[in-house]
Amino acid sequence: MKFHVVTLFPESFDSYLSESIIGRAQKENRILVRFYDPRKYAPKDLKKKWPDGNVTVYADGKPYGGGPGMVLRAEPYIKAIEKALAVIAKKIPSLSLPKGKGKTPKIKIIFFSPGGKMFDTEYAKTTVKKYTDIIFVCGRYEGIDARIKKVFKMEDISIGNYVLTGGELPAMVCIDCMSRQIQGVLGNFDSREEERVSSHDVYTRPEIIVHKDVKGKEKKYAVPAVLLSGDPKLIDAWKKLYN
Ligand code: SAH
């Protein structure tokens, strides 16, 4: 599965995506994440080069009709999405991606918006089955000029009923959740949820934890005895009860 992220802040992904299960999935080429910074693809008239060599990109503008906040300009985003599409179509050999078992690419473009369709595990599951390449478009500030949705067919997705400052966390949430639906990403594929959303309570060593509260009073916390019973039927019944 190849994830293409259109974002003004590609570095904000580094630490999370390089750690643990998602980091390993990339090293093993089970998933690939590539970034496209709209600033890089902004037309010349939106760029200003200063005498010291620094370049400012005017990627946003005031909203037509008034209102708070700045709106991201459509052109740099359109160009960045076109770049991702060209990479997927292998039109740019220097950026060519590992072969996806000779599959013809099936592409979906997701646009993050707090008012979009709610993301969930089911959505992640069906999306990874259906597509080879997903382009995530991350907004910031007041959002992106709505005309980009006229140029490309894309689905508005929300990760929850709250408003964040940008689409970067939603992109990380989707990459994380979708990746664990791909065979080989989790050490044990059965760790995925099937019908359930979350696990029953889980415990590991030691069998008893001793904790002293602020008053110095000790209390012991034991693992439920049934989990130590070695009786699979009893354990299964307990798990169902707490599911
Ligand atoms: N007033 C704007 C808020 C923009 S928040 C609006 O109602 O759309 C800035 C950006 O963060 C959005 O463009 C979107 O890409 C992202 N974002 C914020 N909250 C989000 C959420 N719950 N789910 C998905 N994306 C979100």
Side-chain angles (χ1 to χ4, degrees):
M1 173 59 69
K2 292 154 198 159
F3 299 110
H4 307 263
V5 189
V6 176
T7 170
L8 292 170
F9 303 101
E11 289 85 18
S12 65
F13 289 76
D14 288 352
S15 70
Y16 188 76
L17 293 186
S18 62
E19 300 285 352
S20 187
I21 293 171
I22 303 300
R24 191 183 62 208
Q26 288 176 89
K27 282 190 200 107
E28 292 173 351
N29 268 333
R30 295 184 201 280
I31 63 163
L32 185 141
V33 190
R34 187 149 274 167
F35 299 95
Y36 308 84
D37 181 347
R39 280 195 203 102
K40 242 170 115 176
Y41 308 109
K44 273 204 185 90
D45 60 317
L46 296 185
K47 289 184 184 173
K48 183 180 162 116
K49 198 167 178 180
W50 299 94
D52 61 3
N54 280 333
V55 178
T56 303
V57 182
Y58 300 97
D60 55 5
K62 286 184 189 148
Y64 279 121
M70 293 299 267
V71 175
L72 290 159
R73 298 175 64 129
E75 313 98 299
Y77 276 83
I78 290 171
K79 287 268 182 279
I81 295 168
E82 278 172 352
K83 183 82 174 185
L85 291 170
V87 166
I88 295 166
K90 299 197 189 335
K91 283 187 188 147
I92 305 170
S94 61
L95 282 178
S96 84
L97 304 170
K99 284 185 200 103
K101 289 183 200 138
K103 278 189 220 159
T104 39
K106 291 207 183 77
I107 308 162
K108 182 174 185 78
I109 310 181
I110 288 175
F111 181 76
F112 289 117
S113 156
K117 177 180 164 171
M118 207 56 80
F119 179 79
D120 61 11
T121 302
E122 202 47 47
Y123 183 86
K125 236 187 246 183
T126 46
T127 309
V128 298
K129 272 197 199 128
K130 233 168 132 183
Y131 299 97
T132 61
D133 292 86
I134 301 172
I135 302 176
F136 296 113
V137 184
C138 307
R140 276 267 156 182
Y141 318 125
E142 257 323 286
I144 304 167
D145 189 309
R147 284 169 292 187
I148 85 159
K149 289 194 252 180
K150 302 226 159 79
V151 177
F152 302 102
K153 189 172 167 262
M154 45 178 88
E155 190 172 27
D156 281 18
I157 291 294
S158 164
I159 64 155
N161 252 331
Y162 41 80
V163 182
L164 301 162
T165 58
E168 287 70 20
L169 282 172
M172 282 187 254
V173 165
C174 291
I175 291 171
D176 188 301
C177 182
M178 287 175 174
S179 297
R180 66 200 300 287
Q181 296 299 330
I182 296 165
Q183 186 93 42
V185 167
L186 293 180
N188 178 352
F189 202 44
D190 292 337
S191 311
R192 288 167 314 137
E193 303 70 26
E194 294 303 335
E195 271 75 49
R196 63 203 162 91
V197 165
S198 65
S199 311
H200 45 79
D201 283 356
V202 288
Y203 298 87
T204 187
R205 281 150 212 263
E207 277 178 29
I208 294 169
I209 289 171
V210 183
H211 175 256
K212 243 188 218 170
D213 70 14
V214 279
K215 289 179 188 150
K217 203 175 152 204
E218 260 184 16
K219 201 174 165 186
K220 286 181 179 166
Y221 298 86
V223 171
V226 57
L227 297 179
L228 309 171
S229 69
D231 181 336
K233 271 193 192 150
L234 256 181
I235 293 173
D236 251 22
W238 181 89
K239 284 183 176 176
K240 282 199 184 99
L241 201 66
Y242 286 90
N243 222 344

